[in-house]
Amino acid sequence: MSELSLSTKNYTYNVRLRVIITGLILVIVNSYWISMNDFLKGLNHTYMSLFSNAIFTLFGLILINLLIRKFSPKSAFTESDNLVIYVMIVAVSTLSGHRMTRFLGPIAHPFKFATVENEWRDLFWRYIPDWFTPRDMRVLDPFFSGDSSLFNLNLVLAWLVPTLYWSGFLFALYAMLICLNVIIRKQLTDYERLTYPITWMPLEMSRDGSSFLKNKLMWIGFSIAASISFLNGLRAFHPSLPYIPVGWRVIEFPDKPWGYMGQTRISFQPFVIGLSFFMPLDLSFSAWFFYLSKKIVQLLVGTTTGLRNLHFIEQSMGAWIGLGILTLWLARNHLKQIFLQVFMAQNIIDESKEPMNYRTAIWGIVLALIFFLFFSYKSGLSSWIILLFLAIYCFIGIGVTKIRSGLGLAVHEMLMIDPSRAITETLGTRIIGPRNLTILSFFYGLTRDQAAHPMPNQLEGFRIGEQSKTNIRRLLSIVIIALLVGIPINFIIYLHLSYHYGAGNWSEVAHMGRESFTNRLQVWLTSPTPHDYSTMAFMGIGFGITSLLLAMKMRFLWWPLHPIGFVLGVSPAEMVYIWVPVFISWLLKLTILKYGGLKTYRKAIPFFVGLILGDYTMGGIWSIVNATFNIATYNMGWHPVSWWE
């Protein structure tokens, strides 16, 4: 069978088998590329909402297609072909490298780094199931030290069972999120009419007959960003060359009272300026406004009371969880209709354009939960803990999906906004117990920052399929195929790189293990805590402020402060590195709209798209050089300026 028919009542689109095969090959290539750069401290492709590796690959496909079309038009990929491949790559990239599969290093950490002093053997070894990870030092020593190879029968057999269990865990998690997206898709897309700003660029790039590649303003922006990246990258080979300071600098005042503000970072990354241009003005304004407000609050409170810890992490955590709850509350009528349609056999909603019917989606969630309950039973984790963990994770996912679909957040690195922290800080570690705390520690790598959360990327994939006239039910089937291939492939790539370079030599893995087991689990078990009412109070404050800002925004159109700006501003990660380029983009957009109007704004869009594409393209080339030759090249401004000085 040479093609897979994607059909609806009004439209038929045939995905050729070679498109799916090409997509799977590029999925594997991108997974290796992302993981390789993570190991070698290269470009972090999936930090921003618009993945640089996926845009780079799509741009390459488009350029190759232009060449093929000249000599063999029938062999060239169509707009829909390119976008199907793009969606496949994005879906699996959420797994790769710095994100999901990096937790493989920490799962072996307790056995490799147990010592007489830390007493881990007696403290929590007995709570770790045998199938979580190998324990044999003949397997783990080369894993952490490197200069070895995974492709040894004994090593393969040692990792086979853990890989199967954790692959099943990840697939069940992704399947559950897909089903949740099916349930909320109509509410966000049809009822609230969200615009999905993150999908605009890949759709416009791929559009047949588009003037995208002919736009001079786009190429001006492309040239500026690419030139900066190119010149800065050359310093890896010629250190005497000047550096254009787009990387972040740290400003810190050691003396009181200014020292209470802590470190402040400034940067000027072109691609962040470009991405932020698509954010609504009230959101970009609120993001940098609340970030600076946090600094002022730190200064004032520190000056008057001497306090440094204002629990901004807990406030942000309460805000993100609250966003998910508020999203479901606003969708209550839609959810009621789904309930009546599925359980009362009332034909209320047209399901023909959904990725799957609602009954299947609900059964998918039920089956995923059954798997997680089985997983918790086998691991010794209490069922109420796994259900609470998943509920918090899903609330956060729903919140970020709603906001990204409507506002196009440039970044949402929810550092330390993880379900385990929410559970342990509110309930206290005593009530949870040592076995539950031990198992929870193994989930830490999955949820530490969630910058590449799979849920918004999945829903944006559905949107791209809808906009490109692809039947999203068949597109979903292709995404599932990509995940079935991509999940085990990512494990294999990670294990291969670990045995070759040494997981212990990769700072991210070592740091993740220390955070999870030394800084958290060991402290939890040796210094158990009761209920923390202050944490609950600050989470409540975060939820309350977000709810109030949302209510004001919905009631008064003129209200300038966006609730998501508060969430981003008080978070320990989102605005820390990018508040200056967000401010620059906001100021440019405000000026263009004020003095040039909507027409000038639309004409200016290609320039800012060019900033993104130029930075991503040249940054992608340098990251390929990094992965191929193991050379520390330019990292699109994520390195501090001192890295190059």
Side-chain angles (χ1 to χ4, degrees):
M1 185 174 180
S2 60
E3 57 186 35
L4 178 65
S5 178
L6 306 186
S7 59
T8 65
K9 189 179 294 185
N10 302 316
Y11 191 89
T12 300
Y13 162 55
N14 294 321
V15 179
R16 290 166 288 188
L17 182 61
R18 68 187 182 95
V19 174
I20 301 174
I21 293 174
T22 302
L24 291 175
I25 292 172
L26 290 175
V27 159
I28 296 171
V29 170
N30 274 265
S31 295
Y32 186 84
W33 182 23
I34 294 170
S35 298
M36 189 71 171
N37 270 276
D38 276 349
F39 259 90
L40 303 178
K41 298 182 180 180
L43 178 61
N44 189 342
H45 292 279
T46 57
Y47 179 82
M48 306 301 290
S49 298
L50 188 67
F51 295 169
S52 61
N53 65 294
I55 291 295
F56 182 91
T57 304
L58 178 62
F59 191 42
L61 281 172
I62 292 169
L63 295 179
I64 292 171
N65 268 324
L66 289 176
L67 184 63
I68 293 174
R69 202 168 277 140
K70 286 186 177 181
F71 300 100
S72 180
K74 292 183 179 180
S75 301
F77 285 167
T78 65
E79 169 194 352
S80 296
D81 291 335
N82 289 333
L83 288 171
V84 166
I85 294 172
Y86 173 84
V87 170
M88 293 171 68
I89 292 171
V90 169
V92 179
S93 293
T94 58
L95 286 160
S96 303
H98 189 64
R99 302 304 162 201
M100 287 284 189
T101 49
R102 66 178 173 179
F103 81 96
L104 264 180
I107 67 174
H109 191 91
F111 300 104
K112 173 63 177 176
F113 295 98
T115 64
V116 175
E117 290 76 18
N118 60 36
E119 299 179 337
W120 286 0
R121 179 187 294 271
D122 298 324
L123 199 59
F124 58 80
W125 269 25
R126 63 187 180 278
Y127 303 127
I128 303 175
D130 292 336
W131 46 271
F132 260 37
T133 179
R135 303 187 181 204
D136 190 340
M137 286 301 115
R138 291 172 296 181
V139 174
L140 295 183
D141 281 341
F143 174 81
F144 283 97
S145 61
D147 294 325
S148 184
S149 172
L150 168 67
F151 303 106
N152 173 292
L153 181 59
N154 292 330
L155 296 180
V156 170
L157 292 176
W159 282 101
L160 181 60
V161 172
T163 298
L164 291 175
Y165 269 104
W166 288 111
S167 293
F169 184 95
L170 282 179
F171 184 78
L173 183 66
Y174 271 60
M176 182 178 69
L177 296 179
I178 287 172
C179 294
L180 282 174
N181 271 319
V182 171
I183 290 173
I184 67 172
R185 191 208 69 84
K186 195 172 189 68
Q187 169 70 24
L188 301 185
T189 304
D190 297 344
Y191 299 153
E192 298 185 26
R193 298 184 179 277
L194 302 185
T195 56
Y196 297 87
I198 296 296
T199 67
W200 186 90
M201 187 168 172
L203 283 168
E204 189 64 25
M205 287 174 63
S206 302
R207 187 159 288 131
D208 291 334
S210 171
S211 59
F212 178 80
L213 294 177
K214 300 176 183 178
N215 190 291
K216 293 182 180 179
L217 204 55
M218 190 280 289
W219 286 110
I220 292 173
F222 182 99
S223 301
I224 292 172
S227 297
I228 292 173
S229 181
F230 175 72
L231 291 173
N232 286 343
L234 285 180
R235 293 197 81 243
F237 307 96
H238 301 285
S240 60
L241 291 174
Y243 170 70
I244 301 174
V246 294
W248 49 268
R249 291 179 180 269
V250 175
I251 299 175
E252 187 171 15
F253 303 98
D255 299 326
K256 294 180 180 180
W258 303 106
Y260 286 115
M261 291 195 301
Q263 292 184 342
T264 301
R265 292 174 172 85
I266 59 172
S267 61
F268 306 93
Q269 299 98 326
F271 73 97
V272 182
I273 296 174
L275 281 170
S276 301
F277 194 74
F278 291 93
M279 296 168 63
L281 277 174
D282 59 344
L283 176 59
S284 54
F285 166 76
S286 300
W288 66 260
F289 172 83
F290 278 113
Y291 173 76
L292 292 181
S293 297
K294 179 179 74 171
K295 291 293 184 181
I296 294 172
V297 169
Q298 284 178 315
L299 172 63
L300 293 176
V301 174
T303 302
T304 56
T305 67
L307 294 176
R308 287 184 176 270
N309 184 11
L310 300 180
H311 297 274
F312 286 116
I313 294 175
E314 286 71 22
Q315 291 186 49
S316 184
M317 190 185 306
W320 277 115
I321 295 172
L323 281 173
I325 295 172
L326 291 171
T327 299
L328 294 179
W329 171 251
L330 294 174
R332 61 191 181 279
N333 291 331
H334 173 60
L335 298 177
K336 180 181 177 181
Q337 290 179 336
I338 292 176
F339 177 84
L340 293 174
Q341 182 145 325
V342 172
F343 297 103
M344 301 299 177
Q346 297 185 21
N347 190 14
I348 303 173
I349 310 173
D350 179 14
E351 299 178 272
S352 62
K353 294 183 180 180
E354 299 302 319
M356 65 179 75
N357 62 55
Y358 293 127
R359 186 180 299 276
T360 304
I362 290 174
W363 271 110
I365 294 173
V366 170
L367 291 174
L369 291 176
I370 290 173
F371 173 86
F372 290 125
L373 289 173
F374 168 76
F375 187 95
S376 64
Y377 170 76
K378 288 282 292 180
S379 64
L381 183 66
S382 298
S383 57
W384 69 273
I385 289 289
I386 189 66
L387 293 176
L388 183 58
F389 179 94
L390 292 170
I392 295 172
Y393 180 76
C394 289
F395 282 140
I396 293 173
I398 291 169
V400 73
T401 300
K402 161 71 177 288
I403 300 307
R404 211 171 97 173
S405 300
L407 303 173
L409 291 181
V411 60
H412 49 81
E413 184 189 16
M414 292 169 277
L415 186 65
M416 293 181 283
I417 314 299
D418 64 292
S420 298
R421 182 177 184 132
I423 293 170
T424 55
E425 288 198 356
T426 54
L427 299 182
T429 58
R430 284 199 183 101
I431 194 173
I432 298 172
R435 183 181 298 276
N436 287 326
L437 292 171
T438 300
I439 304 302
L440 278 178
S441 299
F442 285 87
F443 299 158
Y444 179 65
L446 297 172
T447 58
R448 179 178 179 266
D449 60 36
Q450 305 180 74
H453 199 292
M455 197 167 176
N457 289 287
Q458 292 170 355
L459 190 58
E460 287 164 0
F462 296 156
R463 177 67 171 181
I464 288 172
E466 182 184 18
Q467 292 293 301
S468 62
K469 307 299 182 185
T470 302
N471 185 316
I472 55 178
R473 294 201 175 193
R474 295 299 185 264
L475 179 61
L476 174 58
S477 300
I478 294 172
V479 168
I480 289 174
I481 292 171
L483 289 173
L484 288 171
V485 172
I487 290 173
I489 285 294
N490 269 281
F491 279 121
I492 293 170
I493 290 171
Y494 187 98
L495 291 171
H496 160 67
L497 293 176
S498 295
Y499 278 99
H500 184 72
Y501 293 102
N505 299 324
W506 184 28
S507 59
E508 280 292 335
V509 174
H511 185 63
M512 197 72 57
R514 286 194 299 270
E515 281 189 358
S516 185
F517 294 100
T518 305
N519 299 349
R520 287 170 48 124
L521 181 57
Q522 184 172 332
V523 174
W524 289 342
L525 296 179
T526 56
S527 303
T529 58
H531 298 285
D532 190 340
Y533 293 106
S534 64
T535 293
M536 290 188 238
F538 279 103
M539 288 177 65
I541 290 172
F543 176 61
I545 294 175
T546 303
S547 301
L548 177 62
L549 291 173
L550 181 61
M552 295 294 290
K553 194 67 184 173
M554 294 177 67
R555 184 175 293 271
F556 305 109
L557 294 178
W558 53 265
W559 181 254
L561 299 178
H562 201 287
I564 296 306
F566 168 74
V567 178
L568 297 176
V570 301
S571 172
E574 277 89 344
M575 286 295 110
V576 170
Y577 296 97
I578 66 170
W579 71 273
V580 172
V582 169
F583 170 79
I584 292 171
S585 184
W586 167 80
L587 185 60
L588 290 173
K589 186 174 181 177
L590 179 67
T591 304
I592 290 170
L593 286 171
K594 184 175 181 179
Y595 296 103
L598 191 60
K599 185 177 180 180
T600 304
Y601 164 73
R602 288 172 177 166
K603 287 183 178 179
I605 286 176
F607 173 80
F608 291 90
V609 171
L611 290 179
I612 303 169
L613 189 60
D615 220 353
Y616 276 12
T617 300
M618 201 65 237
I621 292 172
W622 284 128
S623 76
I624 292 173
V625 173
N626 180 74
T628 304
F629 301 104
N630 192 9
I631 299 173
T633 54
Y634 179 62
N635 195 4
M636 277 173 48
W638 287 121
H639 286 314
V641 171
S642 59
W643 180 277
W644 303 104
E645 292 178 340

